[in-house]
Amino acid sequence: MKTVCLAFTLLLIANHARGVAIHASADPVKDEPKITEKDREHWAFKPLQTAPGKQGIDDFTKLEAKADPATLIRRLTFDLTGLPPKPEDVAAFVHNPSSFEAIVDKLLASPRYGEHWAQWWLDLARFAETDGFEYDAERNRAWQYRDWVIDALNDDIPFDVFVQKQIAGDLMGDETATGFLFACPDMPDLNKQDERRHVLLNDITTTVGSVGLGLTVGCAQCHDHPYDPISQADFYRLRAFFDNTVLPKERKPLGPAVRVFTEGVPASTVFVRGDFKRPGPAIQPAFPRLFGETPPNADRATLAKWIASKDNAIFLRTMANRIWQQHFGQPLAAIPDELGHQGEAPSNPTMLDWLAAELPRQNWSLKKLHKVIVMSKHYQQAVAPRKRLTGEMLRDAMLSVSGQLNLKTGGPGVKLPLPKEISDTLLKKQHEVNPDATEHNRRSIYTFARRNLRNPLFELFDRPDAQMSCARRNDSTTAPQALMLLNSEFAHTIAAKLAADLNATHGSDATALITDATQGCLARQPTKTEIEAGQKFLHKQTSLTPNFQAALADYCLALLNSNEFVYVD
C-alpha cells in the first residue's frame, strides 16, 4: 500500500511540475513555435472575468467578528505608513470607532505613506545605491530615483502612468523615473563591454517582464521558455525596445537615468543559446506574441503604455495580487512573480479579477484602492493573518516609540554606523558614517542601500539583496533575530532612551510606567496581570542593576522583544 501511495504522489508531483525538454536552437527565429489557442487557456492569460452582483471584497469572503479598536488602528497604521500609532490616536479611536474612515484618509494623506510603500516598489526594482560585484562602487545619484518613487506615491499619480514612466519616462518628460531600468547590478570594469551590455540588457528585460507581467520571461534568454509560450525570439524582441538605451563605456557607471543613443548602437538580434558572442537573426521590437499584435514602429513608450493598460489583464492581476499581499501578508496567487504555468492558481480567482478591475475603475488611484481594501469588513475582522514587521519597519518603530525618529525627507542615503566586527572587514570608503548623528535616526527608506552589505538588522529580517527583482520577501524566524533585538547596541540604546523619558515623566510610579510603556510600544492598555507581573519584575530587577532606571530599561527591552511588538495582528 505504501509503495502505491508513493508512486501516486510522485506521479502527482511530476504532473504538477510539467517538466519538458529544453529546446535551444541555432536559429531561434526560424524554429520559433507558433502560439496556439491552447497556449492562451492558462488562467492568467485570459481576459478578466466579471462577477455579476459582486460589489466589493466582502461579497467574495466569509466574514468573522470585527477586531477590537486598538488592534485595528495598529494594523491600519502599520499597513499604510509602516509606523506604530501614537498613544493619543489609539485612545481617540477607542473612544470613537466611527472615525475609522477619517483615520484612513489622514494616513493616506501623510508623507509617511509614500515612504512606507516605496520600499515595496524598490524591492521590485532591485534598487540599491551601489553596483554590487567585487568593487561595489557607489552610485552618487541613485537616491534621486528613490525620492521620485516616494513623491510619486505620495502624490498618487495614476498608477498606470507611474509604471509607464519607469519604462519610458525619458520619452514622457520624466527621465528620473527610468532609474528603475538602471537599478540593476553592474560591473563597469568588465573587460568586454559588449558582454557587459548583453548582461545589462538581459537584466532589464527580465525585470520588466517580471514586474510588469508577472512572468519569468528571463527563462527564455538561452532557449524557448520550458513551460510558458514565450520563445527565445520573444525575449529578444522585448529586449530590442531597450537596445538603444545601453551603450556602456569601460569603468563608466550607468545612469542614473536612461538616455537614447542614436549612433553606435548594434543591430537588434537574438543571441544563439544566450551567448553574447553568437548574434543570430535580426529582429524588431515586439510584445510577446502570446499577447497579440504589436503596433507598427513601436518604441519604449508604446511598450510602456501596453504593459500598464486597462486592457492588459495579466498586468492588472499581477499588481492586484501584490497589493493584496502587502495588506494581508499572503498573495491570492501564491507566487507573485510567477503567474505562468509554474505558478499557482489564485485561491479566490473571482475576487482577484474583481480587485484587478477595480484599479482602473478607481481611475488608477493606488490610494483609493488601498481605501477599498481597508474599509472592507474582511480587512477589519479579528481573525487576520499575523504579519511580522520587516527589518526597516522594526527599526523605524523602535525609533518612533522612543521619540527619536527624524522625519526629514529626501536626499542622499544616510550611512549608518556599523558594528566594529563588520566595519573592520570593509574598505575604508565602504564604512564611512554620516558625521551628523541626528541623520542616523532618519527613516530606514533613507538609509544608504549598499548592495554587498545590508544593515545587519535589515539582513536578519530578510531584506532582499537587490541582485534581482523581489516580489515577496522571505519571512524567516531565526535565533539570530532574537539575539539582535535582545543584545544589539541599537536595541539597548532605544530601551535606555525610552526608560529615561518614562522615568522623567512618572518617577518610580510602577503602574504609570508600565501603563505608559505598554501604550507606547504595543498600542493598548496593559491588563491587570501584566501590571502585576511588571511591578514584580521592576522590584526584582532593581536589586540586580545599578539603579531603578536601568531596571526600567530592561523592562522596556523586554517589551521591544515581545512578539506583540514584532508582529501585527
Side-chain angles (χ1 to χ4, degrees), residues 317-368:
R317 286 190 179 106
T318 296
M319 294 305 168
N321 191 47
R322 290 170 178 164
I323 292 166
W324 182 272
Q325 168 192 305
Q326 294 304 110
H327 281 291
F328 294 96
Q330 298 175 347
L332 291 165
I335 308 177
D337 55 355
E338 172 56 298
L339 299 193
H341 286 93
Q342 286 297 91
E344 295 185 23
S347 56
N348 194 330
T350 53
M351 183 166 70
L352 176 59
D353 279 11
W354 181 90
L355 193 65
E358 188 67 8
L359 184 53
R361 275 198 300 263
Q362 293 292 340
N363 294 319
W364 296 98
S365 168
L366 204 56
K367 288 187 177 183
K368 288 182 180 178

Side-chain angles (χ1 to χ4, degrees), residues 69 90-100 103:
V90 177
F93 181 60
V94 170
H95 178 71
N96 181 21
S98 64
S99 63
F100 185 75
I103 294 173

Side-chain angles (χ1 to χ4, degrees), residues 164-176:
Q164 290 164 8
K165 286 186 174 183
Q166 316 271 323
I167 299 170
D170 57 312
L171 306 178
M172 303 168 68
D174 203 347
E175 67 174 20
T176 305

Side-chain angles (χ1 to χ4, degrees), residues 198-499:
H198 182 72
V199 171
L200 289 169
L201 284 167
N202 282 6
D203 182 287
I204 289 168
T205 307
T206 297
T207 302
V208 168
S210 174
V211 175
L213 302 175
L215 295 174
T216 54
V217 299
C219 289
Q221 296 178 47
C222 306
H223 47 72
D224 294 343
H225 199 292
Y227 303 103
D228 295 329
I230 299 172
S231 69
Q232 189 183 4
D234 278 330
F235 177 86
Y236 285 101
R237 290 190 195 100
L238 183 59
R239 186 183 116 157
F241 284 108
F242 306 100
D243 276 351
N244 64 357
T245 67
V246 179
L247 202 60
K249 294 183 179 180
E250 189 170 357
R251 302 191 182 278
K252 295 291 185 181
L254 280 178
V258 163
R259 56 171 291 197
V260 173
F261 292 95
T262 57
E263 297 179 357
V265 179
S268 295
T269 69
V270 297
F271 286 85
V272 177
R273 295 180 181 267
D275 186 346
F276 76 98
K277 299 187 294 293
R278 297 181 65 188
I283 42 92
Q284 294 297 318
F287 311 153
R289 295 164 303 137
L290 173 66
F291 301 109
E293 296 293 325
T294 304
N297 303 314
D299 62 3
R300 260 186 308 120
T302 311
L303 173 69
K305 290 174 182 177
W306 167 73
I307 287 178
S309 161
K310 64 181 178 62
D311 299 319
N312 190 346
I314 197 166
F315 167 76
L316 294 172
R317 286 190 179 106
T318 296
M319 294 305 168
N321 191 47
R322 290 170 178 164
I323 292 166
W324 182 272
Q325 168 192 305
Q326 294 304 110
H327 281 291
F328 294 96
Q330 298 175 347
L332 291 165
I335 308 177
D337 55 355
E338 172 56 298
L339 299 193
H341 286 93
Q342 286 297 91
E344 295 185 23
S347 56
N348 194 330
T350 53
M351 183 166 70
L352 176 59
D353 279 11
W354 181 90
L355 193 65
E358 188 67 8
L359 184 53
R361 275 198 300 263
Q362 293 292 340
N363 294 319
W364 296 98
S365 168
L366 204 56
K367 288 187 177 183
K368 288 182 180 178
L369 188 63
H370 289 308
K371 186 171 181 178
V372 167
I373 292 172
V374 302
M375 291 299 295
S376 70
K377 293 178 181 178
H378 179 75
Y379 177 84
Q380 298 177 35
Q381 61 189 356
V383 179
R386 178 173 250 202
K387 297 188 298 181
R388 197 202 67 204
L389 300 180
T390 65
E392 296 93 331
M393 292 168 74
L394 266 174
R395 177 181 172 276
D396 292 352
M398 293 169 80
L399 288 169
S400 179
V401 300
S402 63
Q404 298 181 86
L405 185 62
N406 178 351
L407 294 177
K408 177 183 174 182
T409 62
V414 176
K415 295 177 179 177
L416 301 178
L418 292 169
K420 189 174 186 300
E421 59 271 21
I422 294 177
S423 61
D424 283 351
T425 68
L426 302 174
L427 299 173
K428 182 178 180 180
K429 190 174 178 63
Q430 293 179 334
H431 62 83
E432 292 176 341
V433 176
N434 275 63
D436 183 353
T438 63
E439 291 282 295
H440 302 168
N441 292 342
R442 291 181 64 189
R443 287 203 75 172
S444 298
I445 190 73
Y446 297 117
T447 59
F448 189 78
R450 182 172 291 283
R451 208 177 297 269
N452 284 6
L453 180 67
R454 287 160 284 174
N455 179 282
L457 178 63
F458 301 163
E459 182 168 17
L460 281 176
F461 283 88
D462 304 309
R463 178 175 174 133
D465 60 12
Q467 299 298 329
M468 62 180 65
S469 177
C470 177
R472 186 178 186 181
R473 292 189 176 192
N474 291 332
D475 191 11
S476 65
T477 302
T478 66
Q481 292 169 349
L483 294 172
M484 167 69 75
L485 290 181
L486 191 62
N487 298 321
S488 69
E489 181 181 353
F490 175 72
H492 279 265
T493 300
I494 294 293
K497 176 63 165 59
L498 190 54

